[in-house]
Amino acid sequence: MTDLLRVLPDFPVKQFGGLISALESRGYTTGDLLTLDPAEIEARTKLPNVKRLCDAILDALHSDLGVANPPPPPLLPQHDDAQSNGEPSHHHPPQHSRLKHTASELAEQWQTISTLDPLLDRALGGGIPTGHVTEITGESGAGKTQFLLTLLLAVQLPPPHGLGRPALYISTEAALSTRRLSQMISTNPLFSTFPVYDRPSLDNIVSTTTPDLESQDHILTFQAPVEIERRGIGLLILDSVAANYRAEFERSANSGISSNMGARTNELIKLGMHLRDLAQKYNLAVVVSNQVADRFSGFASGTTGPKTPAPPKTPASSLKAPFPNVLGKQSQESPLASRSRPVPAVDNQEPPPQPQLNPEFPAQEEEINAHPALSLDHQQKWFTGWGDNPSLDYPLKTPSLGLVWSTQISGRIALFRRPVNYGYGEHANRETGEGVQAMKGWKRWMKVVWGCNAPPSELGNKKKKEGGPVEFEVWMGGLRAVHTEED
């Protein structure tokens, strides 16, 4: 491995002399040890202590770059005067708390990043909190990117608006829009109230693009921690979290669905754990944007003809009867739930033969006869942001990556948009000569689905002071709430 001493001249190669020469004979370089999985290298080469060598190289690289953590001070033994005199000691060792942080320490560490609007900050409990992973979800054009660009500038402001720290922006789709950021810096009047050295700048934003899942994992695992320690990053943005996972696990139609879903679940759990570790270790805010998919109603897609009664012992059949007022007209259908739900039986059709089950275990019909309130179709309206108020008529959406990803984040913010009242535009219909209806614009709302620092917003409540969603608009300076008489 001839490039090791060229990269790290002071690396103690004698401790790993035989291992380094064996890896070099197999064609491995220093870059391979830093990017590949050590367990995979050990499995291929049948060599031990590869992980210890990789950790030593990574620590030496951090020390050479000046971003290594200082080692903890050694614990000095405490000598008791009574024990030195030969007398038995009745003092017990101090009891250390098992908690990582006390309540006072957490209160001192609690910081938020402002949205640069007081009404939006009030709905979010002060802003986006540090030490947590927050998701911003919504359909295309709802304002997710504008929300993220505002946070990139706000984090650079001194407290209480920001953290006075730079930001790291990782995009999986399009490059960072620096022209839009420059427009916000020059237009928002709040920035002019700060001294020149406290104003946000494009120089304090580090951006990169990850076109595939492999490069995304490499950047988040190896490059992001180095940049965070070197520059003191206060905000990490991943825009968007679902793009690479959709391209990686949904483009392969030859592989089985179960194996594909299992591999994606493992990757999502690893990503969530890594982002939470970064947020807690460096006390920074991690914000990810997520896409949404349409949620279709109905028991089975593609079914036509008259409805037939379903068997009494299926969750699909018992979904409507007990809670007609709660579920409303739509059944909150989920693609995952529709695949797992048994197909309703048809009259004059014999059921397929079932394998013989052990009599000590309950029958299959009894196992799936769960209460409808425990079904995914009923519960997902409380954590997706859509469907919690059945009296409202609006299209239902479901955030991408499913329930597994929802358990990895600390908060979810949903952005909605609705078209403004239609009016007759200047264009005329060629047949009738009358004016053609044209859309005048969009209205947008921000809703807190759940969060660690703010209560959820009730979509049916239109009063902002009582926890309702906040209407906002996108302007040249960023985001701002739409003020009404109630404010």
Side-chain angles (χ1 to χ4, degrees):
M1 200 172 299
T2 56
D3 60 340
L4 179 59
L5 293 179
R6 186 169 62 251
V7 178
L8 300 170
D10 299 330
F11 186 79
V13 294
K14 294 183 179 181
Q15 299 181 8
F16 306 93
L19 180 59
I20 293 177
S21 60
L23 290 173
E24 185 177 5
S25 63
R26 288 168 170 82
Y28 286 90
T29 62
T30 305
D32 296 334
L33 298 181
L34 292 175
T35 56
L36 299 179
D37 189 2
E40 184 178 354
I41 298 178
E42 291 182 354
R44 290 181 178 180
T45 60
K46 308 298 182 182
L47 296 175
N49 299 326
V50 175
K51 187 178 186 305
R52 190 164 65 93
L53 174 60
C54 295
D55 294 339
I57 295 177
L58 187 61
D59 294 339
L61 184 61
H62 286 175
S63 301
D64 184 68
L65 295 175
V67 295
N69 294 325
L75 298 177
L76 299 178
Q78 297 181 359
H79 300 282
D80 198 337
D81 296 338
Q83 292 181 355
S84 61
N85 298 330
E87 300 178 0
S89 174
H90 300 283
H91 299 284
H92 298 281
Q95 298 292 333
H96 298 282
S97 176
R98 295 183 179 180
L99 299 177
K100 293 183 178 180
H101 302 284
T102 61
S104 59
E105 292 176 351
L106 292 176
E108 294 176 358
Q109 295 178 2
W110 183 261
Q111 294 176 307
T112 56
I113 302 175
S114 173
T115 61
L116 306 182
D117 186 90
L119 287 181
L120 296 176
D121 289 343
R122 184 174 63 185
L124 295 174
I128 303 299
T130 60
H132 297 274
V133 181
T134 305
E135 179 195 89
I136 300 176
T137 184
E139 58 184 318
S140 178
K144 300 189 298 296
T145 301
Q146 304 300 322
F147 200 109
L148 299 178
L149 295 181
T150 303
L151 296 179
L152 289 176
L153 301 178
V155 69
Q156 304 178 36
L157 299 177
H161 293 88
L163 308 177
R165 299 160 62 181
L168 175 59
Y169 181 85
I170 302 176
S171 175
T172 60
E173 297 175 342
L176 179 64
S177 178
T178 56
R179 179 179 300 180
R180 172 58 175 153
L181 287 172
S182 301
Q183 183 187 48
M184 296 169 63
I185 293 175
S186 60
T187 307
N188 198 313
L190 178 63
F191 298 145
S192 60
T193 61
F194 292 92
V196 178
Y197 53 85
D198 284 337
R199 296 177 185 177
S201 171
L202 296 181
D203 297 334
N204 293 326
I205 301 177
V206 183
S207 64
T208 184
T209 305
T210 59
D212 50 57
L213 189 59
E214 182 179 359
S215 61
Q216 174 182 317
D217 292 341
H218 174 73
I219 289 176
L220 289 175
T221 305
F222 299 101
Q223 298 183 12
V226 175
E227 288 294 325
I228 291 173
E229 292 194 10
R230 178 188 297 178
R231 300 176 181 267
I233 299 295
L235 172 65
L236 171 61
I237 290 181
L238 181 59
D239 182 22
S240 71
V241 68
N244 287 333
Y245 287 96
R246 278 183 166 182
E248 183 72 21
F249 294 99
E250 295 182 7
R251 65 185 177 185
S252 177
N254 297 328
S255 59
I257 296 179
S258 59
S259 60
N260 231 7
M261 293 295 293
R264 194 185 76 164
T265 298
N266 294 334
E267 292 295 331
L268 291 176
I269 294 176
K270 289 171 56 178
L271 175 64
M273 293 177 60
H274 182 62
L275 294 180
R276 289 196 305 271
D277 291 342
L278 291 177
Q280 297 173 3
K281 180 179 180 181
Y282 302 105
N283 194 27
L284 57 87
V286 177
V287 181
V288 299
S289 66
N290 195 3
Q291 305 167 353
V292 295
D294 293 326
R295 191 191 311 169
F296 299 98
S297 61
F299 289 103
S301 60
T303 58
T304 57
K307 296 183 179 180
T308 57
K313 291 185 178 182
T314 56
S317 61
S318 58
L319 195 66
K320 281 188 174 181
F323 303 101
N325 298 327
V326 176
L327 296 178
K329 298 180 180 180
Q330 300 176 354
S331 64
Q332 317 296 335
E333 182 67 16
S334 168
L336 295 179
S338 61
R339 284 204 301 260
S340 60
R341 179 180 295 112
V343 180
V346 182
D347 294 340
N348 301 327
Q349 181 180 358
E350 297 182 358
Q354 299 292 336
Q356 186 68 25
L357 300 178
N358 193 331
E360 297 181 0
F361 296 94
Q364 184 178 2
E365 290 79 2
E366 298 179 2
E367 291 180 353
I368 65 175
N369 189 19
H371 197 278
L374 301 178
S375 63
L376 178 62
D377 283 345
H378 179 69
Q379 292 193 0
Q380 67 178 340
K381 59 185 178 180
W382 308 117
F383 63 84
T384 59
W386 281 264
D388 51 352
N389 194 329
S391 62
L392 299 180
D393 185 15
Y394 60 95
L396 298 180
K397 306 290 182 179
T398 298
S400 300
L401 305 182
L403 179 61
V404 175
W405 174 249
S406 300
T407 61
Q408 304 300 314
I409 57 179
S410 302
R412 170 171 286 166
I413 302 171
L415 303 182
F416 303 84
R417 71 167 186 170
R418 299 289 179 269
V420 182
N421 296 332
Y422 285 84
Y424 288 93
E426 299 178 355
H427 302 282
N429 192 337
R430 296 180 179 179
E431 299 179 356
T432 61
E434 299 178 353
V436 180
Q437 287 187 348
M439 187 179 64
K440 296 182 178 180
W442 296 91
K443 283 188 177 182
R444 296 177 173 86
W445 289 268
M446 183 198 72
K447 171 188 174 182
V448 179
V449 183
W450 83 83
C452 58
N453 62 324
S457 304
E458 175 61 36
L459 192 59
N461 188 1
K462 298 183 179 180
K463 296 183 179 180
K464 305 182 185 66
K465 295 183 179 180
E466 299 180 4
V470 180
E471 182 181 355
F472 70 94
E473 62 180 359
V474 179
W475 68 296
M476 296 178 61
L479 303 179
R480 62 184 178 189
V482 177
H483 295 268
T484 60
E485 297 179 357
E486 299 175 356
D487 303 328

